[in-house]
Amino acid sequence: QVQLVESGGGLVQAGGSLTLSCAASGGTFSRYTMGWFRQGPGKEREFVATCGWIPSSTKYAASLKGRFTISRDNAKNTLYMQMNSLKPEDTDVYYCAATSATGWGEGRETMYDSWGQGTQVTVSS
């Protein structure tokens, strides 16, 4: 299994931006479909965005499209997520995940078998 480490979380004011990174090791990154999920206290983990290794297979949660952008750099074995116009309701722990079960972008949490430890994003009002 690939190992994943997220970074880039922190405290930001509403309207600000953050870029999350997810460094992968121990696998062939370019053949993994990657995803970002988030979870807050007492809430279920929810899908944010996904980027398959098949070109143009990016998907977003409908409520987030336009503010968040997922991307990957296969040469650096790293997944990114640019988050703009952040809102207090975006406050959550953000997780990256990987799956080799499909090459297409995948929004179902159960399809992923490798997860990072998460990075906290806090948006103040």
Side-chain angles (χ1 to χ4, degrees):
Q1 283 186 338
V2 64
Q3 287 77 50
L4 305 171
V5 178
E6 302 96 335
S7 62
L11 175 64
V12 64
Q13 289 188 333
S17 298
L18 280 176
T19 300
L20 303 184
S21 299
C22 173
S25 62
T28 305
F29 180 75
S30 62
R31 286 303 191 183
Y32 282 94
T33 282
M34 303 297 295
W36 286 103
F37 293 79
R38 66 184 187 182
Q39 186 173 25
K43 295 163 50 180
E44 292 188 353
R45 190 151 53 187
E46 66 172 341
F47 166 70
V48 175
T50 178
C51 183
W53 59 259
I54 294 174
S56 302
S57 62
T58 299
K59 299 179 183 178
Y60 295 89
S63 61
L64 300 174
K65 192 174 183 180
R67 294 194 298 122
F68 290 12
T69 303
I70 190 172
S71 61
R72 63 192 298 162
D73 186 335
N74 289 338
K76 296 182 178 179
N77 292 345
T78 302
L79 178 74
Y80 302 97
M81 186 160 69
Q82 175 69 39
M83 305 187 296
N84 298 325
S85 302
L86 284 162
K87 304 175 181 180
E89 51 264 42
D90 293 320
T91 295
D92 273 325
V93 177
Y94 285 72
Y95 299 89
C96 72
T99 178
S100 58
T102 177
W104 298 99
E106 176 57 61
R108 292 173 292 177
E109 177 183 348
T110 54
M111 291 293 289
Y112 291 85
D113 49 23
S114 296
W115 292 84
Q117 83 288 349
T119 185
Q120 176 71 48
V121 171
T122 303
V123 184
S124 63
S125 57

